[in-house]
């Protein structure tokens, strides 16, 4: 058992950590786990990333898989930190439409929480810029989020 909490240090739970180093392992864990919750960088408020019995650790699924410089479309894995995305693509002239108050969250967490930035009234939430989520427990391939 591992003791974890959210960013605000509450709640604090003992949970079985399931380490997923591949999309396939995360898929199997999602199907087989007992009321598991996926966890990226642990920056969620409340208990969103704290599993009561089991927590699927997604931080190793942090790769950028494909990028189209013509359209700006990027395919990533759910554990990619928003800060890594910004560091890589800002010098190339690309920046996400929506960035919350911290860039130390994962792309998967940003989608799950439908985060928004200071420009919410103009650009909406993060999920509005997600074209596809694949590689889930219910099918798809191993490419991730685009």
């Amino acid at each position: 058992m591992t003791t974890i909490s959210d960013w605000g240090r509450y709640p604090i739970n003992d949970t079985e950590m399931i380490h997923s180093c591949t999309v396939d392992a995360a898929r199997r864990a999602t199907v087989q786990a007992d009321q598991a919750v996926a966890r990226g960088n642990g920056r969620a408020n409340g208990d969103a990333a704290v599993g009561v019995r089991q927590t699927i650790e997604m931080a190793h699924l942090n790769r950028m898989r494909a990028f189209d410089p013509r359209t700006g479309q990027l395919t990533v894995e759910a554990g990619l930190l928003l800060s890594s995305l910004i560091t890589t693509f800002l010098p190339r002239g690309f920046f996400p439409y929506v960035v919350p108050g911290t860039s130390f969250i994962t792309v998967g967490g940003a989608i799950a929480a439908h985060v928004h930035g200071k420009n919410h009234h103009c650009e909406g939430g993060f999920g509005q810029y997600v074209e596809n989520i694949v590689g889930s427990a219910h099918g798809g391939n191993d490419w991730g989020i685009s």
Side-chain angles (χ1 to χ4, degrees):
M1 295 299 258
T2 302
T3 302
I4 63 172
S5 67
D6 75 335
W7 196 17
R9 303 275 307 140
Y10 181 83
I12 298 173
N13 282 355
D14 289 329
T15 186
E16 176 189 353
M17 292 298 288
I18 300 170
H19 301 282
S20 55
C21 293
T22 67
V23 173
D24 204 40
R27 180 183 296 125
R28 281 192 310 276
T30 302
V31 171
Q32 297 169 354
D34 183 20
Q35 298 178 0
V37 171
R39 180 182 182 88
N41 201 31
R43 294 294 177 110
N45 291 320
D47 60 357
V50 179
V52 174
R53 290 188 182 97
Q54 295 177 318
T55 301
I56 304 170
E57 193 267 323
M58 302 291 287
H60 295 310
L61 296 175
N62 61 358
R63 293 175 295 235
M64 296 177 217
R65 296 299 204 105
F67 176 66
D68 183 342
R70 291 177 296 110
T71 64
Q73 183 177 17
L74 174 66
T75 301
V76 304
E77 294 175 342
L80 179 72
L81 290 177
L82 199 54
S83 60
S84 296
L85 186 152
I86 292 168
T87 300
T88 301
F89 287 99
L90 184 59
R92 298 177 185 183
F94 293 95
F95 191 78
Y97 282 99
V98 176
V99 178
T102 179
S103 62
F104 298 109
I105 62 170
T106 61
V107 171
I111 294 167
H114 194 47
V115 298
H116 60 84
K118 296 292 184 186
N119 60 350
H120 188 252
H121 61 288
C122 298
E123 301 299 340
F126 195 89
Q128 288 179 243
Y129 299 94
V130 176
E131 184 175 299
N132 199 5
I133 299 174
V134 293
S136 71
H138 305 291
N141 61 35
D142 288 349
W143 280 93
I145 301 161
S146 61

